[in-house]
Amino acid sequence: MVLFRSVTALSRLRSRVGQQSNLINSVRWLQMQSSSDLDLHSQLKELIPEQQERLKKVKSELGKAQLGNITVDMVLGGMRGMTGLLWETSLLDPDEGIRFRGLSIPECQKLLPGAKPDGEPLPEGLLWLLLTGKVPNKEQVDGLSKELRDRATVPDYVYKAIDALPVTAHPMTQFASGVMALQVQSEFQKAYEKGIHKSKYWEPTYEDSLNLIARVPLVASYVYRRIYKDGKIIPKDDSLDYGANFSHMLGFHDPKMLELMRLYVTIHSDHEGGNVSAHTGHLVASALSDPYLSFAAALNGLAGPLHGLANQEVLLWIKSVVDECGENITKEQLNDYVWKTLNSGKVVPGFGHGVLRKTDPRYTCQREFALKHLPDDPLFQLVSKLYEVVPPILTQLGKVKNPWPNVDAHSGVLLNHFGLTEARYFTVLFGVSRSLGICSQLIWDRALGLPLERPKSVTLDWIEKTCKKTA
């Protein structure tokens, strides 16, 4: 989190969002200063030296401080719970949920500019927040939106690379292949080959990252239209913002769907650094792989059933409930179906989380969207019943640390309502949104000179011998 010293800046912010007076005395309030500088790159050039000095001070003064104890359970359990990554853009609290640069999702919805008054936040605004730690004004967001549109050009060879795959290939396979093809234009790779000084690594990384963020909606929408709409491509509309343009290129123009896409991209953008896709992007980038290579690797992690593919599994499971029991299923019938799923050795998709110990705030804001825009949708009503039925059952099992719904429990139902019914494609939407968080952190990885990631591994024999010695 970046702290700003100017009292004048605080006064400007207080006048701009005075209704949030309860935040005035908080640390987060100080970070929300406005800036007259409309250019994102210029702001980063100002912020990065401050953060580089901050990192040096932390390493010097706190480098030997203990952050916790490593247990055998952590080593054998996928490093779960280990504190081992620096991830500036967001922080996930087990009881509170995700905060983007210190701001909760409800705070982001209130403070970040929308396309219309009281509308959902624009993803461009969240990108600005992730990169700078500041809440942007509407002019800054509009300027960034235009810059992303100007960068949104995809060479024909990218589409040809996708076309070389069978149309039956999974959408994530086609999407990741398109991102890999984009890598040919990497500015970081060109600069590195010319011998750029490491203190400047962040600048070509910034160019690659904004180019990638701008272009992935075109690649993702091409994949969708190729698979499901007979290859009839819809060009981008330079009058639309990032989320709305993505929806437009997919072929969905309902104003409510545009708002949903803005919300979707915003809340799925980042979830601290320990999840598979974020960690993979960070790990690969630590080898100085460029943003395209790093993000493509992250997408391959996101495609796994235990990560991003879960949003596909949720809608398919919900539809299986409807197919067997009908749309007007009672809570008693639903209770029986949940037990049937569990007794067959399967899980109820969309419930539980590796870190959270409460209902996912991303689920909550999607529920609020549904209550506002589609309260009578049968599948939404079924999701609401699941919220009442599933947690008590999972609690009764006694093995589940978090019986509450996560983000995947709701997103598919909203997309399905507006006509995006192809569940196999949902993870691609997740991937587009995750580009904002992964690329924002990657720019800061380069700016702070974070090193090659290389944790120590051990064998079972080593664990047994070491524990005997310390017993």
Side-chain angles (χ1 to χ4, degrees):
M1 184 183 298
V2 182
L3 298 180
F4 299 94
R5 299 179 293 276
S6 172
V7 175
T8 302
L10 182 58
S11 299
R12 286 201 306 271
L13 178 61
R14 182 177 291 160
S15 63
R16 184 164 64 86
V17 285
Q19 69 272 23
Q20 295 298 317
S21 58
N22 60 311
L23 295 177
I24 291 176
N25 295 320
S26 71
V27 174
R28 294 196 303 278
W29 182 255
L30 294 176
Q31 94 182 45
M32 294 176 213
Q33 75 154 32
S34 179
S35 172
S36 59
D37 194 341
L38 298 180
D39 180 60
L40 181 59
H41 186 272
S42 298
Q43 291 220 0
L44 285 174
K45 289 195 75 170
E46 179 183 341
L47 291 168
I48 283 172
E50 297 176 5
Q51 290 298 91
Q52 288 172 332
E53 289 303 313
R54 183 184 179 193
L55 179 63
K56 289 179 183 178
K57 184 177 180 181
V58 169
K59 289 174 70 174
S60 174
E61 298 179 0
L62 304 174
K64 303 302 181 182
Q66 297 290 323
L67 294 178
N69 297 315
I70 303 302
T71 66
V72 172
D73 278 343
M74 291 176 174
V75 174
L76 300 181
M79 298 191 291
R80 190 168 298 256
M82 289 185 185
T83 299
L85 287 173
L86 179 63
W87 195 267
E88 285 286 87
T89 50
S90 65
L91 183 66
L92 180 60
D93 183 89
D95 298 314
E96 193 175 56
I98 190 66
R99 284 188 177 273
F100 303 114
R101 289 287 189 169
L103 298 180
S104 68
I105 287 177
E107 288 170 338
C108 286
Q109 288 178 294
K110 292 177 181 177
L111 295 172
L112 292 177
K116 60 182 183 179
D118 299 321
E120 299 298 339
L122 290 164
E124 298 93 318
L126 185 73
L127 175 59
W128 189 290
L129 174 67
L130 292 177
L131 277 170
T132 69
K134 304 177 187 178
V135 172
N137 58 42
K138 187 63 163 62
E139 291 76 19
Q140 290 169 325
V141 172
D142 288 345
L144 180 55
S145 186
K146 182 181 183 305
E147 180 178 356
L148 291 174
R149 286 196 299 270
D150 292 343
R151 290 172 179 264
T153 56
V154 175
D156 286 341
Y157 59 76
V158 173
Y159 299 128
K160 290 179 181 177
I162 296 171
D163 289 341
L165 294 169
V167 73
T168 54
H170 195 281
M172 282 296 284
T173 302
Q174 299 189 42
F175 183 40
S177 298
V179 171
M180 283 296 297
L182 284 172
Q183 190 274 342
V184 175
Q185 294 189 331
S186 171
E187 295 298 326
F188 180 83
Q189 183 186 46
K190 296 173 187 175
Y192 187 82
E193 290 174 352
K194 291 179 180 178
I196 185 174
H197 192 276
K198 62 182 181 181
S199 65
K200 300 292 185 182
Y201 281 172
W202 77 268
E203 296 199 35
T205 299
Y206 173 91
E207 295 300 321
D208 276 354
S209 294
L210 261 68
N211 284 339
L212 190 154
I213 290 168
R215 294 166 185 173
V216 289
L218 279 76
V219 176
S221 58
Y222 182 86
V223 169
Y224 178 78
R225 303 295 298 183
R226 177 178 187 249
I227 297 174
Y228 302 110
K229 303 297 177 182
D230 299 321
K232 296 176 182 177
I233 308 304
I234 301 174
K236 66 185 177 78
D237 183 341
D238 285 335
S239 69
L240 296 175
D241 58 83
Y242 189 86
N245 220 338
F246 186 25
S247 180
H248 159 77
M249 290 186 290
L250 290 171
F252 302 96
H253 311 289
D254 186 326
K256 294 179 181 178
M257 178 60 167
L258 305 190
E259 279 288 271
L260 173 60
M261 194 60 71
R262 293 173 184 125
L263 176 66
Y264 186 102
V265 174
T266 297
I267 66 174
H268 286 80
S269 62
D270 206 31
H271 216 231
E272 78 166 28
N275 65 78
V276 171
S277 57
H279 186 194
T280 301
H282 172 82
L283 170 63
V284 173
S286 78
L288 292 186
S289 299
D290 62 62
Y292 297 99
L293 297 174
S294 304
F295 183 63
L299 287 178
N300 291 328
L302 192 68
L306 296 183
H307 191 20
L309 205 68
N311 58 9
Q312 166 185 313
E313 301 302 313
V314 170
L315 186 62
L316 294 176
W317 183 81
I318 288 175
K319 288 188 173 181
S320 73
V321 176
V322 174
D323 289 342
E324 183 166 326
C325 306
E327 289 184 345
N328 297 318
I329 184 172
T330 65
K331 291 180 183 179
E332 290 73 21
Q333 290 174 305
L334 193 53
N335 184 86
D336 293 340
Y337 194 89
V338 169
W339 276 112
K340 177 182 175 182
T341 299
L342 295 171
N343 290 333
S344 67
K346 300 176 182 178
V347 300
V348 179
F351 285 78
H353 192 274
V355 177
L356 283 170
R357 295 296 173 259
K358 60 171 282 184
T359 298
D360 193 333
R362 298 172 298 174
Y363 173 95
T364 303
C365 71
Q366 290 182 100
R367 175 173 172 79
E368 291 170 352
F369 184 95
L371 288 169
K372 180 178 179 180
H373 296 295
L374 48 131
D376 298 325
D377 181 275
L379 292 186
F380 167 59
Q381 293 179 346
L382 176 54
V383 167
S384 296
K385 292 177 183 176
L386 285 168
Y387 192 16
E388 299 179 46
V389 170
V390 175
I393 293 177
L394 296 181
T395 301
Q396 183 179 340
L397 286 175
K399 299 178 181 179
V400 180
K401 293 182 179 179
N402 173 23
W404 305 106
N406 58 48
V407 64
D408 297 319
H410 219 306
S411 57
V413 168
L414 299 180
L415 296 166
N416 185 83
H417 175 84
F418 292 106
L420 210 171
T421 59
E422 298 86 1
R424 292 180 84 234
Y425 184 79
F426 288 171
T427 312
V428 176
L429 302 176
F430 201 154
V432 170
S433 63
R434 192 47 62 92
S435 68
L436 275 67
I438 290 175
C439 287
S440 294
Q441 181 59 41
L442 177 50
I443 293 168
W444 278 103
D445 287 352
R446 295 284 197 263
L448 297 176
L450 298 189
L452 178 71
E453 186 174 308
R454 180 60 170 87
K456 171 66 177 161
S457 63
V458 296
T459 65
L460 279 174
D461 184 61
W462 184 94
I463 289 174
E464 291 170 344
K465 289 180 179 178
T466 302
C467 290
K468 286 179 180 178
K469 289 179 182 179
T470 58

